[in-house]
Amino acid sequence: MRAAMAMTVVSQITACSILQKNQTGSTPENPILLDTMELTFSASASDLTQRSADPLRIDVLHTELHLEFDVPEKTVFGKAFITVAPYFDPLDTITLDARGFAFETVHAQEGDSLVALEYQYDGKEIEIVLGKPLLKGGQVVLVIDYVAKPADLPAGDGHAISSSQGLYFINPKADPDRVHPQVWSQGETEYNSGWFPCVDQPNEKHTQEIMLTVDTSFVTLSNGRFVYALDNGNGTRTDVWKQEKPHSTYLTMIAIGDFAVVKDTWRDKEVWYYVDPEFEPYAKKIFGNTPEMLEFYSTKLGYDYPWEKFHQVIVHDFVSGAMENTSAVVHGEFVQQTPRQMIDGTHEDVIAHELFHHWFGDLITSESWTHITMNEGFATYGEYLWWEHKYGDEEARLHLQSDLDVYLSESISGTNHALIRRTYDDPDDVFDRHSYQKGGRVIHMLRGELGDEKFFEGLKLYLHQNAFGTVEDVHLRLAMEEISGVDLSWFFDQWYHREGHPIVDVQYEHDSASKGLTVRLDQQGEAYGTFKFHVDLIAGTGAQTFTKRLWVDEASETLSVVFDFIPEWYAIDPKGDMLWEVNEQKEGAVWMEQLARAPHFMTRAEALRALEQVGVDLSDRYTMSLLKILGAKDEFWAIKKMAAADLPGLAGLDTNAAINALMQTFQEGKNTELRAQALFSIDSLSGGDEGITDLFIGAMQDSSMRVVRAALSILTERDPCSAIGLSQNLKDEDSEEMLLWISRMHALCGNAASLSFFQEHGDAMKGIDRFMFNNDFTRFAIAVESEEVYDALVAYLGNSAFEEMSWWARMSTVQGMQRALTYYEESLGEMEEIEAPSQEQLTRLALLRNKKASLSALISEAKELEAKEQEDAND
């Protein structure tokens, strides 16, 4: 809607203000979240546990593991040789984390002999009593034979990492209808103690050697270099992997499965990609930029990639997004894409994120979970650096703005805490949008504060000074101060140790006579206090622009700038560098000039957003500006997308001219987000005109699945039953995402004949996709109101009520069963009101009573399981 208003227009940058404001239509696309999901905290900071790094009593120097597996029984048979030294004080006992183990023997190795040691075990830690005190400078090799059953451990209810068992057996019974069996680990946060004894803390670093005895059909992967394989002559093979440089316990990994291995190189190092066999032809397209990333980061940081190799493996049913295990990254299966899917974008940001961790997280590691932003903030900023290098400033700025939007959405929802977070209930809690996105934005501001040369020299020094060690934010500050000669205490105190961000109102006054501009900045949000920062001011007229760096250190600051010209437009923070919420008050004519002439896409985007509110006297000029943007060959696609989204609903719009411009955008545009938006806007402007339906039907044949989904969405809204017929050729697409669109059509159409679709495709769904499919099936049942359909719904949901690991899928399962129960109860009520029922009616009455009782019991059992899992997680 466009409404007339005064000529002064307020622009406010808040969460989702630029990047997400033009999302048209609803979509069941599966969001990919890197290591993190949105958290909701009910406890105040005063209620949470005060955290600090665990004290170091022992130093684990080396871990050698000999592992065998009973995959069907989800059991690990392990023998661990753990070399331990005192950190400083003499040791009489050694305590290791080991969750849910059965210990067979515990020895100390003395030469060629083994000496049995006494121990105590509480199910979580083993305390080993040494035969004699171990003095500083000495060391002992513990030899521990054990059996671990990580699948029997409580799964937990983490948000960032959804299970805490540490080691996972996928399809252990080798069901031929499922993925080939896999075994893989996820150590972060303190979960590797579910499959080998260790000091499960980030401030403990060790070298390692792992010997994996597996079926000869399996491929294995672990940290470090592959040493050799030994055929045991009994259908098994032992693979030996060795890492000779120390890293934190949680980074130790194994992966076992039927992987296709595609080999690449960087300099003299192996760069290998482990994928499902059917994705082998696409592996280099999925991961192909990895060698270039390795070269870029090594050069940019002044520190060559430090590990023996860089391998990446894709596993099924991963409990997080991806994991930066040293030299052996694990990705969830979402990274695996076909060439057609990659037309709409890859997950290159995830690959860059995990690779950058190999400097920030693996080489130098946060001392405790309190300082996790020293890992995750840097890895998030590594994404921006790659985008900047590979795809240019505009794409990188768009990515950076997305980080700001994501952080602000969490902040505005009420979750605010310092980046260095000393109070939390569980380590999983710290993996939030503060640690990632705010942390990355703070690093970007530090770069802006120092300038590129000092910033990257500072990072180089930081890496060299702390290599293979652990860090807090102070280590970064000292390195940057040593390079720059500048005291940065104020910056780190403000951005790392205080919560919140600046919330600033900006007002302008210009004096044509003096060619001056007065800028008033008023900081709001008293709870956060006053922030200090540098910020750029840009002004321009015609082809001239001038940028001035301002220093703000008061709650209310008035600054004056004199130019060599009379400025026609002006803007604060033109490139979007600031971590803030800002409200700019400017006249509509100034915004129009900014849209037309600002050199930076972020400034033009903000003008577009503000001009949505412009009064009617500027509407014709605004409309012409939007059409001009759509026709400009060199305009950034994201600006075009915003312009396309703004056209529908403009007062006095020449609809035909707008549709023609959008048609051209759809046909000539290269970015699929832009082309999909053009379709949505054409649909809005056409007012449901049947004459334009052929455009959407034709778009169903597009090479881009995003464009196909947009066309499907439009056709579904127009006539879901007809859309089903048009989508028949899409049912065989190897995409749960496409099946979700089709399931939505069937749910909205409500034709009983669609039952077979839901019965055929439900088992292919899992996680968030299962949740949405369950909801569609339930909506379909409600629309049809047929006992046959409700029976099928109950049969489908009942099979998954106790198998789904994801709480959201289980929730939709229970909700669907409750709706079916309501139907049975209502039908039963109607039958019970019949005064003289026939034998057939009595039979149906008994059947309904049985269905009600059985379903009620099933729902109760599912709820009890959820309650028990919650209780186990709390314990």
Side-chain angles (χ1 to χ4, degrees):
M1 175 180 286
R2 299 294 180 269
M5 59 175 291
M7 286 297 295
T8 297
V9 182
V10 178
S11 165
Q12 181 177 22
I13 296 181
T14 57
C16 310
S17 64
I18 293 179
L19 299 183
Q20 299 175 12
K21 70 179 205 59
N22 292 326
Q23 300 300 314
T24 304
S26 59
T27 170
E29 294 180 71
N30 183 1
I32 301 302
L33 300 176
L34 182 66
D35 296 352
T36 185
M37 294 182 70
E38 181 175 358
L39 308 180
T40 302
F41 298 96
S42 57
S44 66
S46 61
D47 297 328
L48 301 177
T49 305
Q50 185 78 20
R51 303 282 184 164
S52 58
D54 274 22
L56 295 172
R57 291 186 61 249
I58 69 172
D59 185 9
V60 176
L61 303 175
H62 184 73
T63 300
E64 180 182 318
L65 299 176
H66 299 241
L67 303 176
E68 298 182 24
F69 307 89
D70 183 337
V71 174
E73 296 302 317
K74 298 185 272 191
T75 301
V76 181
F77 301 97
K79 189 181 192 73
F81 296 78
I82 304 175
T83 305
V84 178
Y87 190 79
F88 191 92
D89 295 328
L91 297 174
D92 295 313
T93 63
I94 291 173
T95 300
L96 299 174
D97 298 300
R99 297 179 294 128
F101 285 26
F103 291 99
E104 297 183 351
T105 61
V106 178
H107 293 90
Q109 192 173 57
E110 294 186 0
D112 295 330
S113 302
L114 295 177
V115 178
L117 299 177
E118 296 182 356
Y119 64 89
Q120 293 181 332
Y121 182 56
D122 63 2
K124 295 182 178 179
E125 295 180 335
I126 180 172
E127 183 181 59
I128 301 169
V129 181
L130 300 176
K132 56 186 177 182
L134 184 61
L135 304 179
K136 184 180 180 182
Q139 57 184 245
V140 63
V141 177
L142 301 175
V143 183
I144 304 172
D145 287 276
Y146 66 92
V147 177
K149 291 195 171 187
D152 292 345
L153 296 171
D157 63 345
H159 295 270
I161 302 108
S162 62
S163 175
S164 57
Q165 293 170 329
L167 191 72
Y168 302 87
F169 295 81
I170 307 305
N171 190 21
K173 303 293 187 183
D175 181 345
D177 294 328
R178 296 187 60 203
V179 64
H180 194 280
Q182 293 182 347
V183 182
W184 45 260
S185 64
Q186 167 56 32
E188 194 173 38
T189 53
E190 299 166 8
Y191 304 148
N192 272 341
S193 54
W195 59 282
F196 71 92
C198 56
V199 176
D200 213 349
Q201 293 294 323
N203 58 351
E204 177 58 66
K205 293 201 169 189
H206 67 154
T207 58
Q208 66 180 61
E209 185 170 7
I210 297 183
M211 303 179 185
L212 299 169
T213 297
V214 299
D215 188 279
T216 53
S217 65
F218 284 129
V219 174
T220 72
L221 175 63
S222 188
N223 314 92
R225 62 185 175 88
F226 179 73
V227 182
Y228 64 85
L230 177 65
D231 190 325
N232 299 313
N234 60 357
T236 69
R237 185 188 73 250
T238 299
D239 290 350
V240 180
W241 295 86
K242 186 172 186 178
Q243 179 164 301
E244 300 182 67
K245 297 178 180 179
H247 68 160
S248 290
T249 306
Y250 72 88
L251 296 167
T252 295
M253 71 80 69
I254 60 172
I256 302 165
D258 179 26
F259 305 113
V261 181
V262 177
K263 299 181 180 182
D264 211 338
T265 59
W266 171 74
R267 296 187 185 177
D268 59 346
K269 296 181 186 288
E270 296 174 352
V271 181
W272 291 5
Y273 318 126
Y274 297 64
V275 297
D276 286 344
E278 60 268 31
F279 283 86
E280 182 176 5
Y282 319 135
K284 282 200 174 180
K285 190 167 180 64
I286 294 168
F287 294 112
N289 282 333
T290 303
E292 185 181 344
M293 288 182 187
L294 283 159
E295 185 64 35
F296 166 66
Y297 287 144
S298 295
T299 302
K300 193 75 172 175
L301 296 172
Y303 197 115
D304 286 348
Y305 176 79
W307 307 101
E308 293 92 335
K309 68 174 190 307
F310 186 67
H311 291 188
Q312 299 175 82
V313 59
I314 293 176
V315 303
H316 285 262
D317 300 341
F318 194 45
V319 293
S320 187
M323 182 62 207
E324 65 271 16
N325 306 300
T326 311
S327 78
V329 167
V330 173
H331 293 286
E333 63 205 87
F334 67 88
V335 172
Q336 222 160 219
Q337 294 176 288
T338 65
R340 187 177 187 187
Q341 290 169 331
M342 285 185 270
I343 290 172
D344 295 323
T346 67
H347 299 290
E348 201 171 337
D349 54 343
V350 180
I351 296 168
H353 182 106
E354 304 308 330
L355 175 54
F356 207 60
H357 264 310
H358 281 68
W359 287 266
F360 302 95
D362 296 4
L363 178 64
I364 55 175
T365 309
S366 60
E367 182 183 59
S368 68
W369 307 119
T370 287
H371 295 85
I372 194 62
T373 195
M374 305 308 294
N375 293 3
E376 299 300 349
F378 267 103
T380 302
Y381 195 59
E383 300 170 34
Y384 170 78
L385 292 176
W386 172 250
W387 246 244
E388 184 181 45
H389 162 76
K390 184 68 175 177
Y391 301 109
D393 183 69
E394 290 181 324
E395 289 286 358
R397 295 282 172 176
L398 187 63
H399 194 80
L400 193 68
Q401 178 65 30
S402 177
D403 286 343
L404 178 62
D405 291 344
V406 168
Y407 157 67
L408 288 178
S409 69
E410 183 171 82
S411 174
I412 292 169
S413 71
T415 299
N416 283 287
H417 54 76
L419 282 180
I420 306 303
R421 184 176 174 189
R422 300 189 183 278
T423 53
Y424 52 88
D425 275 336
D426 185 273
D428 184 84
D429 295 346
V430 304
F431 291 80
D432 64 1
R433 300 174 181 191
H434 283 63
S435 298
Y436 285 73
Q437 284 82 12
K438 181 180 182 180
R441 292 285 308 210
V442 167
I443 293 165
H444 183 71
M445 292 187 65
L446 179 60
R447 177 183 176 182
E449 193 65 36
L450 295 176
D452 276 15
E453 186 175 359
K454 292 175 185 175
F455 174 75
F456 286 107
E457 281 297 315
L459 287 188
K460 179 179 177 181
L461 180 63
Y462 175 57
L463 289 168
H464 281 274
Q465 286 180 334
N466 300 290
F468 304 105
T470 59
V471 294
E472 302 180 11
D473 61 296
V474 66
H475 295 89
L476 177 63
R477 176 175 65 81
L478 292 173
M480 292 296 178
E481 289 180 342
E482 184 173 337
I483 290 297
S484 67
V486 176
D487 184 353
L488 293 169
S489 298
W490 69 270
F491 183 96
F492 281 78
D493 289 345
Q494 172 175 283
W495 291 112
Y496 281 94
H497 295 274
R498 278 174 54 188
E499 67 179 60
H501 53 270
I503 302 173
V504 183
D505 291 330
V506 183
Q507 299 180 57
Y508 302 91
E509 292 183 13
H510 65 274
D511 183 348
S512 299
S514 65
K515 301 179 182 177
L517 182 69
T518 300
V519 186
R520 179 180 174 87
L521 299 98
D522 294 311
Q523 295 192 43
Q524 311 299 322
E526 291 77 7
Y528 301 151
T530 300
F531 285 79
K532 299 189 291 186
F533 51 86
H534 284 102
V535 62
D536 285 342
L537 171 73
I538 190 170
T541 184
Q544 289 183 279
T545 60
F546 176 83
T547 302
K548 173 74 174 178
R549 192 126 170 102
L550 307 178
W551 170 248
V552 178
D553 61 358
E554 301 288 343
S556 292
E557 191 100 36
T558 301
L559 304 166
S560 297
V561 182
V562 177
F563 303 96
D564 294 333
F565 52 81
I566 300 172
E568 295 178 321
W569 64 271
Y570 30 82
I572 201 82
D573 189 29
K575 295 184 179 181
D577 293 311
M578 285 293 298
L579 196 168
W580 67 356
E581 293 175 72
V582 60
N583 309 293
E584 288 189 83
Q585 297 183 23
K586 291 185 279 198
E587 293 181 350
V590 176
W591 286 115
M592 286 299 306
E593 288 298 321
Q594 180 174 320
L595 175 62
R597 302 188 184 281
H600 306 298
F601 116 82
M602 288 298 299
T603 318
R604 299 196 303 279
E606 184 52 25
L608 259 180
R609 196 211 61 80
L611 284 164
E612 290 180 337
Q613 307 169 48
V614 168
V616 71
D617 52 342
L618 284 177
S619 62
D620 290 342
R621 187 179 173 196
Y622 180 52
T623 300
M624 293 304 297
S625 295
L626 297 185
L627 295 175
K628 182 179 179 181
I629 288 170
L630 287 176
K633 300 293 185 184
D634 57 349
E635 182 58 87
F636 185 43
W637 70 265
I639 296 291
K640 287 192 171 189
K641 181 186 173 187
M642 293 179 70
D646 283 351
L647 277 173
L650 283 180
L653 179 68
D654 182 338
T655 303
N656 289 332
I659 289 178
N660 288 337
L662 289 164
M663 288 274 201
Q664 184 176 357
T665 299
F666 171 70
Q667 292 163 357
E668 297 179 1
K670 292 183 173 58
N671 182 275
T672 61
E673 283 189 50
L674 169 60
R675 297 181 65 233
Q677 180 60 63
L679 284 182
F680 284 123
S681 295
I682 291 169
D683 177 51
S684 297
L685 289 168
S686 70
D689 181 3
E690 291 296 324
I692 209 163
T693 301
D694 286 347
L695 170 68
F696 308 125
I697 294 174
M700 296 271 291
Q701 308 303 317
D702 201 88
S703 60
S704 161
M705 295 305 293
R706 178 180 281 119
V707 170
V708 172
R709 290 193 301 270
L712 269 177
S713 176
I714 292 165
L715 292 168
T716 299
E717 291 297 324
R718 290 183 168 215
D719 185 346
C721 296
S722 296
I724 292 173
L726 294 169
S727 67
Q728 289 303 307
N729 64 315
L730 299 173
K731 286 199 301 184
D732 296 330
E733 285 286 338
D734 186 18
S735 168
E736 288 85 0
E737 195 173 24
M738 190 56 64
L739 285 177
L740 284 174
W741 274 108
I742 298 173
S743 75
R744 181 178 172 223
M745 293 178 204
H746 285 285
L748 291 173
C749 179
N751 187 320
S754 294
L755 177 59
S756 60
F757 169 84
F758 289 100
Q759 291 174 316
E760 290 170 10
H761 296 288
D763 290 341
M765 302 295 171
K766 54 192 160 190
I768 192 71
D769 294 339
R770 185 73 166 242
F771 166 79
M772 301 179 79
F773 188 86
N774 290 354
N775 286 343
D776 283 340
F777 200 164
T778 301
R779 281 195 294 265
F780 169 70
I782 293 170
V784 176
E785 281 294 288
S786 155
E787 188 168 338
E788 178 189 4
V789 172
Y790 275 113
D791 290 347
L793 176 66
V794 170
Y796 163 70
L797 295 177
N799 289 333
S800 62
F802 307 102
E803 296 177 0
E804 272 294 332
M805 290 180 65
S806 55
W807 63 267
W808 52 82
R810 284 203 303 267
M811 177 183 70
S812 65
T813 296
V814 172
Q815 288 174 341
M817 290 193 296
Q818 285 177 325
R819 184 64 190 85
L821 181 62
T822 300
Y823 175 84
Y824 292 148
E825 289 173 338
E826 291 172 350
S827 299
L828 190 59
E830 293 174 3
M831 293 293 297
E832 288 173 337
E833 290 179 359
I834 299 174
E835 293 183 0
S838 65
Q839 185 59 46
E840 183 179 347
Q841 289 170 329
L842 287 171
T843 301
R844 183 165 184 265
L845 191 62
L847 184 61
L848 282 170
R849 286 171 176 161
N850 183 55
K851 288 179 181 179
K852 175 188 173 183
S854 299
L855 186 53
S856 296
L858 187 63
I859 292 171
S860 296
E861 190 176 354
K863 288 182 175 179
E864 288 172 6
L865 175 64
E866 182 68 25
K868 184 179 184 304
E869 289 182 351
Q870 184 64 47
E871 183 180 339
D872 290 342
N874 292 337
D875 291 341

